Amino acid sequence: MDTIDLRSDTITRPTPAMCMAMANAKVGDDVFGEDPTVIRLEEMAAERMGKPAALFVASGTMGNLVSQLAHCRRGDEILLGDQSHVFIYEQGGSAAVGGLHPRILPNASDGTIGLDILEGAIRPDDVHFPRTGLILLENTHNRCGGRVLSPDYVAAVGRLARRNGIRLHMDGARIFNAAIALDRPPADLVAAADSVTFCLSKALGAPVGSVVCGEKRFIAEARRMRKLLGGGMRQAGVLAAAGIVALEEMVPRLAEDHENARRLAQGLTAIAGLVVDMATVETNLVYIKVAHATMTAPVLVDRLAEKGLKVLAASREYIRAVPTYHVSTRQIDAAVRIFRQCLGPA
Ligand SMILES: *Cc1c(COP(=O)(O)O)cnc(C)c1O
């Protein structure tokens, strides 16, 4: 029996084209600015995001952290959502490394933070208060169901930020999923942001890496911060080569993951004991609520694993499932059957 792995889009392995590109990559010392493949990836990424410059980093977490460090001074307050990846899953690096003061604001179920809530959280100039340095948004929003932020909302936050002399950073780990879902170029989705981080290593399939994009001066500072964190990589073109293939070949096919996510969600809505809100399945993430008399999400996850289906428990109540290019439509249908077997009358 083949295992069906829907735990995460981070499990994707490099494609044959990526392996070939990595083997043949022209490389140099990137800390000296001499790796032609890294330079090419950074130029491509900047162009895709509509920003003047870009920086290849080891991970999305590193991209978000160097961005915060480059935008802010120690002691600045940052405004971010209570469901955001930066707040929940990045070890509190903003404070632990950056000396930044997180101000946690409630995320609505669609991943937005109310404009009035943001406006109300901005600190007046007063000796008692930290200075507000940065707003962070996330698109698509992982813990809010992979929801897509509308370009209008991001533009409104951008105006609010500029009016108050604050920067806006977009954690766009899955910004290409948002772009595909909206059928718009990713640059349209981040036009109002001063910086954006996106991941090559998720559904785009590259083995390692993320890219930070923004103004030239910001990227120069982010480059310093990357070195400070130990992220100055030498012949990194070996990795960047796979990232180039990811950008050139893997973006349009994200639509297949989105279709499989809808197919999975649709199949699961018919199973008693599970609740999936179809309206929230906009991209590749499917959140499944376990509404069962005796079974919690972690217990169900173990039962599914025994039958060859791997998914993650996002909490006691919720399971997350993520189709990727390793998973066929046939396997999606098999996954629905395994759910039914585990929940049915047996
Ligand atoms: C995965 C992810 C990150 C961080 O990426 P890593 O490469 O795992 O460090 C950041 N933000 C969001 C929303 C993510 O899903």
mmCIF file of all heavy atoms in Angstrom, residues 59-61 64 85 90 138 140 142 171 173-174 199 201-202 210, ligand 1:
data_model
loop_
_atom_site.group_PDB
_atom_site.id
_atom_site.type_symbol
_atom_site.label_atom_id
_atom_site.label_comp_id
_atom_site.label_asym_id
_atom_site.label_seq_id
_atom_site.Cartn_x
_atom_site.Cartn_y
_atom_site.Cartn_z
ATOM 1 N N SER A 59 15.381 30.103 4.675
ATOM 2 C CA SER A 59 14.022 29.643 5.007
ATOM 3 C C SER A 59 13.075 30.837 5.096
ATOM 4 O O SER A 59 13.520 31.994 5.158
ATOM 5 C CB SER A 59 14.043 28.927 6.368
ATOM 6 O OG SER A 59 14.368 29.868 7.380
ATOM 7 N N GLY A 60 11.790 30.523 5.155
ATOM 8 C CA GLY A 60 10.801 31.582 5.340
ATOM 9 C C GLY A 60 10.983 32.275 6.688
ATOM 10 O O GLY A 60 10.838 33.496 6.797
ATOM 11 N N THR A 61 11.308 31.489 7.685
ATOM 12 C CA THR A 61 11.534 32.053 9.020
ATOM 13 C C THR A 61 12.685 33.050 8.981
ATOM 14 O O THR A 61 12.593 34.152 9.542
ATOM 15 C CB THR A 61 11.838 30.915 10.020
ATOM 16 O OG1 THR A 61 10.714 30.031 10.048
ATOM 17 C CG2 THR A 61 12.110 31.452 11.408
ATOM 18 N N ASN A 64 11.509 36.270 7.170
ATOM 19 C CA ASN A 64 10.692 37.144 8.013
ATOM 20 C C ASN A 64 11.548 37.840 9.074
ATOM 21 O O ASN A 64 11.340 39.016 9.377
ATOM 22 C CB ASN A 64 9.578 36.336 8.688
ATOM 23 C CG ASN A 64 8.468 35.953 7.718
ATOM 24 O OD1 ASN A 64 8.225 36.655 6.741
ATOM 25 N ND2 ASN A 64 7.795 34.846 7.985
ATOM 26 N N HIS A 85 1.947 33.153 11.443
ATOM 27 C CA HIS A 85 3.093 32.242 11.510
ATOM 28 C C HIS A 85 4.222 32.874 12.309
ATOM 29 O O HIS A 85 4.862 32.227 13.136
ATOM 30 C CB HIS A 85 3.545 31.904 10.083
ATOM 31 C CG HIS A 85 4.457 30.724 10.004
ATOM 32 N ND1 HIS A 85 5.795 30.793 10.297
ATOM 33 C CD2 HIS A 85 4.216 29.421 9.676
ATOM 34 C CE1 HIS A 85 6.341 29.590 10.137
ATOM 35 N NE2 HIS A 85 5.407 28.748 9.768
ATOM 36 N N GLU A 90 7.581 30.843 14.932
ATOM 37 C CA GLU A 90 8.954 31.260 14.637
ATOM 38 C C GLU A 90 9.742 31.530 15.912
ATOM 39 O O GLU A 90 10.636 32.384 15.952
ATOM 40 C CB GLU A 90 8.939 32.430 13.634
ATOM 41 C CG GLU A 90 8.277 31.970 12.328
ATOM 42 C CD GLU A 90 8.252 32.971 11.186
ATOM 43 O OE1 GLU A 90 8.929 34.010 11.258
ATOM 44 O OE2 GLU A 90 7.527 32.699 10.208
ATOM 45 N N GLU A 138 -0.037 38.243 6.429
ATOM 46 C CA GLU A 138 0.298 36.903 5.913
ATOM 47 C C GLU A 138 -0.674 36.539 4.790
ATOM 48 O O GLU A 138 -1.887 36.601 4.971
ATOM 49 C CB GLU A 138 0.173 35.912 7.080
ATOM 50 C CG GLU A 138 0.613 34.501 6.765
ATOM 51 C CD GLU A 138 0.601 33.620 8.023
ATOM 52 O OE1 GLU A 138 1.088 34.048 9.100
ATOM 53 O OE2 GLU A 138 0.071 32.499 7.940
ATOM 54 N N THR A 140 -0.918 33.566 1.444
ATOM 55 C CA THR A 140 -2.161 33.171 2.055
ATOM 56 C C THR A 140 -1.968 32.972 3.557
ATOM 57 O O THR A 140 -0.835 32.795 4.003
ATOM 58 C CB THR A 140 -2.695 31.846 1.439
ATOM 59 O OG1 THR A 140 -1.799 30.777 1.800
ATOM 60 C CG2 THR A 140 -2.754 31.905 -0.071
ATOM 61 N N ASN A 142 -1.964 30.867 6.657
ATOM 62 C CA ASN A 142 -1.904 29.437 6.989
ATOM 63 C C ASN A 142 -2.963 29.035 8.005
ATOM 64 O O ASN A 142 -3.831 28.213 7.729
ATOM 65 C CB ASN A 142 -0.492 29.106 7.493
ATOM 66 C CG ASN A 142 -0.374 27.671 7.995
ATOM 67 O OD1 ASN A 142 -1.074 26.779 7.526
ATOM 68 N ND2 ASN A 142 0.510 27.453 8.953
ATOM 69 N N ASP A 171 4.344 38.411 4.924
ATOM 70 C CA ASP A 171 4.784 37.019 4.974
ATOM 71 C C ASP A 171 4.016 36.305 3.870
ATOM 72 O O ASP A 171 2.903 35.832 4.073
ATOM 73 C CB ASP A 171 4.504 36.415 6.355
ATOM 74 C CG ASP A 171 4.868 34.928 6.415
ATOM 75 O OD1 ASP A 171 5.317 34.385 5.386
ATOM 76 O OD2 ASP A 171 4.706 34.338 7.496
ATOM 77 N N ALA A 173 4.708 33.497 2.310
ATOM 78 C CA ALA A 173 5.236 32.134 2.147
ATOM 79 C C ALA A 173 4.544 31.445 0.970
ATOM 80 O O ALA A 173 5.183 30.775 0.167
ATOM 81 C CB ALA A 173 5.044 31.338 3.432
ATOM 82 N N ARG A 174 3.216 31.627 0.884
ATOM 83 C CA ARG A 174 2.427 31.013 -0.195
ATOM 84 C C ARG A 174 1.794 32.090 -1.090
ATOM 85 O O ARG A 174 0.657 31.945 -1.540
ATOM 86 C CB ARG A 174 1.348 30.098 0.384
ATOM 87 C CG ARG A 174 1.892 28.919 1.157
ATOM 88 C CD ARG A 174 0.807 27.942 1.583
ATOM 89 N NE ARG A 174 1.362 26.842 2.345
ATOM 90 C CZ ARG A 174 1.595 26.857 3.662
ATOM 91 N NH1 ARG A 174 1.290 27.936 4.375
ATOM 92 N NH2 ARG A 174 2.113 25.812 4.275
ATOM 93 N N CYS A 199 8.246 31.525 -0.131
ATOM 94 C CA CYS A 199 8.957 30.249 -0.003
ATOM 95 C C CYS A 199 9.046 29.537 -1.342
ATOM 96 O O CYS A 199 8.040 29.389 -2.043
ATOM 97 C CB CYS A 199 8.242 29.333 0.995
ATOM 98 S SG CYS A 199 8.340 29.916 2.694
ATOM 99 N N SER A 201 10.334 26.478 -1.144
ATOM 100 C CA SER A 201 10.450 25.100 -0.650
ATOM 101 C C SER A 201 9.116 24.482 -0.267
ATOM 102 O O SER A 201 9.075 23.395 0.279
ATOM 103 C CB SER A 201 11.375 25.083 0.565
ATOM 104 O OG SER A 201 10.821 25.894 1.581
ATOM 105 N N LYS A 202 8.012 25.191 -0.527
ATOM 106 C CA LYS A 202 6.709 24.597 -0.237
ATOM 107 C C LYS A 202 6.141 23.996 -1.526
ATOM 108 O O LYS A 202 6.785 23.161 -2.124
ATOM 109 C CB LYS A 202 5.812 25.632 0.424
ATOM 110 C CG LYS A 202 6.338 25.896 1.836
ATOM 111 C CD LYS A 202 5.459 26.713 2.701
ATOM 112 C CE LYS A 202 6.009 26.623 4.125
ATOM 113 N NZ LYS A 202 5.548 27.736 4.950
ATOM 114 N N SER A 210 13.994 30.531 0.556
ATOM 115 C CA SER A 210 12.973 31.553 0.423
ATOM 116 C C SER A 210 13.641 32.800 -0.133
ATOM 117 O O SER A 210 14.872 32.884 -0.156
ATOM 118 C CB SER A 210 12.355 31.879 1.787
ATOM 119 O OG SER A 210 11.563 30.796 2.245
HETATM 120 C C1 LIG B 1 6.153 27.849 6.164
HETATM 121 C C2 LIG B 1 5.835 29.231 6.533
HETATM 122 C C3 LIG B 1 6.829 30.124 6.936
HETATM 123 C C4 LIG B 1 8.249 29.735 7.241
HETATM 124 O O1 LIG B 1 8.875 28.930 6.410
HETATM 125 P P1 LIG B 1 10.098 27.980 6.812
HETATM 126 O O2 LIG B 1 10.799 27.908 5.520
HETATM 127 O O3 LIG B 1 9.486 26.702 7.271
HETATM 128 O O4 LIG B 1 10.896 28.659 7.856
HETATM 129 C C5 LIG B 1 6.457 31.424 7.186
HETATM 130 N N1 LIG B 1 5.196 31.824 7.075
HETATM 131 C C6 LIG B 1 4.205 30.999 6.694
HETATM 132 C C7 LIG B 1 2.814 31.518 6.565
HETATM 133 C C8 LIG B 1 4.481 29.670 6.426
HETATM 134 O O5 LIG B 1 3.495 28.847 6.071
#
